[in-house]
Amino acid sequence: MTLMEVKNVQRVFGKGESEFIALNDVSLTIEKGESVAIIGKSGSGKSTLMHILALLDRPTKGKIILDGKDVTQIKEKQLNHVRNQQFGFVFKQFFMNAKDSVLDNVTLPLKISSVPAKRRKELAMKALQQVDLAEKAKSKANDLSGGQKQRVCVARAIINQPQVIFADEPTGNLDSTTGERIENLLFDLNQSQGITLIIVTHDEDLAARCDRKIRMRDGKIIEEVK
Ligand code: ADP
Ligand code: MG
């Protein structure tokens, strides 16, 4: 079953002399339950493509079809809803609220979707158990190690039971042993729950574990390896 289709997408930043074509006529189909690595040199357009796929950014030209529905032009509010309900995010930079507790960081997506506090806590504890960090629920996010922070981010990503997890260099700030633990978590979720993984990475070993590798250069897909 097809999850997402990207059709002839272009993304242009800036105007006039400073115009820059970050994505140049990119087309791609992603099936449900796949794991897809987006690879390529720095500046090749990987993050730009991921942001478009994740509906965090809109294409200048082209179409995005999600679950058979054209979402290219839908309103911001609806986009936010789709992202909140269906997508989970893990970034290299973690993006946590450092002063808040682990629990508060994990429940954030549920707060946004107005889930009652008691239910939020239950679901957060379940998600934290899955990443083996239930005992850190009350700790301040800032007091955790890098690997623990990224596991909290994985817990936050799965709390809404998303159909897709988008990860932008999820192991980029971690040593290899800690990074491998994050990788294992993500692939376990892919295998056991059928969550589609879309991972931007420089890491060849991580890319090799994915079903497909899409290589970018100068805003184009130049190669696809299955
Ligand atoms: P990658 O993730 O592969 O390193 P990016 O997708 O972040 O690359 O960026 C691709 C190109 O687009 C880079 O040259 C970058 O400078 C440019 N770019 C990305 N975002 C913006 C932006 N908001 N404004 C202007 N240029 C941008
Ligand atoms: Mg990037």
Side-chain angles (χ1 to χ4, degrees):
M1 279 260 280
T2 299
L3 173 75
M4 199 173 234
E5 282 174 88
V6 170
K7 291 185 176 172
N8 308 104
V9 160
Q10 195 185 48
R11 178 65 168 102
V12 182
F13 291 113
K15 282 208 166 92
E17 290 212 338
S18 64
E19 185 178 284
F20 184 82
I21 304 174
L23 288 181
N24 190 356
D25 198 22
V26 168
S27 296
L28 174 67
T29 301
I30 294 167
E31 301 297 324
K32 288 190 183 179
E34 277 190 315
S35 53
V36 183
I38 302 173
I39 56 177
K41 290 197 179 126
S42 186
S44 58
K46 304 182 299 293
S47 295
T48 305
L49 176 59
M50 198 201 87
H51 288 142
I52 297 262
L53 292 168
L55 311 178
L56 290 163
D57 185 26
R58 292 185 196 257
T60 310
K61 273 190 201 159
K63 273 189 185 167
I64 312 291
I65 316 285
L66 174 66
D67 280 323
K69 188 168 172 266
D70 189 338
V71 293
T72 322
Q73 307 283 356
I74 66 172
K75 293 205 176 76
E76 197 62 31
K77 205 175 156 188
Q78 266 180 293
L79 277 183
N80 292 341
H81 184 74
V82 170
R83 269 201 310 272
N84 183 257
Q85 298 294 310
Q86 301 192 36
F87 299 165
F89 293 92
V90 179
F91 295 97
K92 176 181 171 180
Q93 310 87 338
F94 313 134
F95 294 127
M96 303 173 71
N97 297 318
K99 291 178 185 160
D100 291 346
S101 71
V102 164
L103 192 78
D104 284 342
N105 272 283
V106 175
T107 56
L108 192 65
L110 298 179
K111 263 189 198 164
I112 292 167
S113 55
S114 310
V115 173
K118 188 166 168 249
R119 181 77 183 135
R120 287 205 297 264
K121 193 175 170 193
E122 280 168 18
L123 290 169
M125 290 312 297
K126 220 173 117 193
L128 282 169
Q129 272 158 20
Q130 287 192 67
V131 301
D132 207 13
L133 275 179
E135 79 283 1
K136 295 283 183 192
K138 287 181 179 156
S139 303
K140 219 183 184 192
N142 215 20
D143 294 339
L144 304 182
S145 70
Q148 288 172 332
K149 281 181 186 158
Q150 199 60 307
R151 276 150 63 201
V152 171
C153 292
V154 173
R156 180 181 59 190
I158 60 177
I159 197 166
N160 268 337
Q161 297 179 287
Q163 67 164 337
V164 194
I165 292 178
F166 292 95
D168 196 344
E169 302 194 28
T171 59
N173 268 334
L174 306 173
D175 65 76
S176 56
T177 310
T178 314
E180 203 177 317
R181 184 157 187 191
I182 297 296
E183 285 177 26
N184 291 341
L185 264 174
L186 292 172
F187 286 102
D188 282 350
L189 291 162
N190 172 252
Q191 298 286 312
S192 67
Q193 297 177 35
I195 297 177
T196 306
L197 295 181
I198 300 178
I199 307 177
V200 168
T201 186
H202 277 115
D203 182 338
E204 290 291 336
D205 295 336
L206 170 53
R209 290 179 70 172
C210 292
D211 297 330
R212 289 164 71 189
K213 290 194 274 184
I214 288 165
R215 190 180 301 278
M216 310 254 333
R217 186 196 287 159
D218 298 334
K220 281 182 178 287
I221 294 175
I222 55 159
E223 184 191 22
E224 155 127 31
V225 184
K226 286 210 186 188

